[in-house]
Amino acid sequence: MSVTIYHNPACGTSRNTLAMIRQSGEQPEVIEYLKNPPDRARLIELIRAIRTDQGDGNFRPRAAA
């Protein structure tokens, strides 16, 4: 299995997630999405993959600030 993470080094959650992936022994492909944002076609691919892998593709709503 290959692992890709769309990473924001300024985000603690992203840093923690990347650390957990690496601690599991995986060497993920790291894409800093603020420097290299995915194009529309790639976003569509990701959304379709989420819908396929996770059921309906619903995302968890962001908590109120």
Side-chain angles (χ1 to χ4, degrees):
M1 172 178 71
S2 65
V3 176
T4 301
I5 180 171
Y6 285 82
H7 180 56
N8 177 357
C11 173
T13 301
S14 188
R15 289 192 308 269
N16 289 336
T17 301
L18 180 56
M20 288 190 310
I21 293 169
R22 288 181 171 154
Q23 287 172 356
S24 77
E26 293 290 334
Q27 293 302 318
E29 176 184 3
V30 178
I31 300 171
E32 290 190 29
Y33 65 85
L34 295 176
K35 291 181 182 177
N36 301 300
D39 62 16
R40 179 179 170 82
R42 181 62 179 147
L43 288 173
I44 290 169
E45 288 175 13
L46 292 170
I47 291 167
R48 286 185 178 144
I50 290 168
R51 286 185 177 147
T52 301
D53 295 342
Q54 303 298 323
D56 63 6
N58 287 326
F59 294 92
R60 181 177 52 158
R62 181 175 248 187

